[in-house]
């Protein structure tokens, strides 16, 4: 017999509708292997699929903010003048970042 890490087999029966639901949930959780999915569900009871798109959006906003802030800092250092438009632009970018952060925090369990 093959030396297996998992040498105990567990079998159970399901209806066609239950099987379809299991496969649907497995695909939604991006797990490709039925055995791995069933083990994970039996042991942990939950699989979380995280949507990282709000984090990516926030990182994009922060990158833009950093770039714009560096440009403003260079201009201020070379001219010793800061413009009202620069301050307004910084405020608007900070509002976007704060909104992204609030959205992300509101989605956490």
């Amino acid at each position: 017999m093959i030396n297996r890490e998992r040498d105990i087999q567990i079998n159970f029966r399901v209806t066609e509708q239950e099987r379809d639901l299991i496969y649907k949930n497995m695909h939604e959780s991006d797990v490709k292997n039925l055995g791995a999915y069933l083990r994970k569900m039996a042991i942990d009871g939950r699989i979380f699929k995280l949507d990282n798109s709000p984090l990516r959006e926030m990182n994009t906003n922060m990158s833009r903010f950093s770039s714009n802030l560096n440009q403003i800092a260079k201009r201020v250092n070379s001219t010793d003048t800061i413009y009202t438009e620069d301050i307004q632009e910084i405020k608007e970018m900070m509002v976007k970042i704060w909104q992204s952060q609030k959205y992300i925090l509101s989605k956490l369990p």
Side-chain angles (χ1 to χ4, degrees):
M1 182 165 194
I2 300 172
N3 187 13
R4 297 177 185 247
E5 179 182 342
R6 295 179 178 97
D7 59 348
I8 300 171
Q9 187 174 20
I10 298 175
N11 295 310
F12 61 96
R13 295 187 181 278
V14 296
T15 65
E16 187 175 340
Q17 291 81 15
E18 290 170 333
R19 183 201 59 207
D20 293 344
L21 185 57
I22 289 169
Y23 277 108
K24 176 183 169 282
N25 291 339
M26 182 181 85
H27 291 295
E28 285 178 359
S29 65
D30 282 338
V31 176
K32 306 294 185 227
N33 181 294
L34 180 61
Y37 173 77
L38 293 174
R39 253 190 317 279
K40 181 75 172 161
M41 291 303 293
I43 293 170
D44 295 339
R46 294 182 185 171
I47 295 179
F48 294 98
K49 181 179 178 186
L50 300 177
D51 177 15
N52 292 329
S53 58
L55 290 173
R56 284 192 294 275
E57 181 182 340
M58 186 168 152
N59 284 342
T60 300
N61 286 337
M62 289 178 71
S63 178
R64 287 182 188 148
F65 175 74
S66 175
S67 177
N68 289 351
L69 191 58
N70 284 336
Q71 291 173 4
I72 292 168
K74 284 181 184 179
R75 190 168 49 234
V76 169
N77 286 332
S78 65
T79 64
D80 289 330
T81 306
I82 189 163
Y83 299 100
T84 306
E85 295 85 23
D86 294 337
I87 294 172
Q88 187 60 34
E89 186 178 355
I90 291 170
K91 287 179 180 179
E92 289 170 6
M93 287 184 287
M94 284 304 300
V95 166
K96 285 183 182 179
I97 290 172
W98 282 114
Q99 287 172 343
S100 295
Q101 184 183 29
K102 285 179 184 177
Y103 175 78
I104 291 167
L105 290 175
S106 73
K107 296 296 180 183
L108 293 176

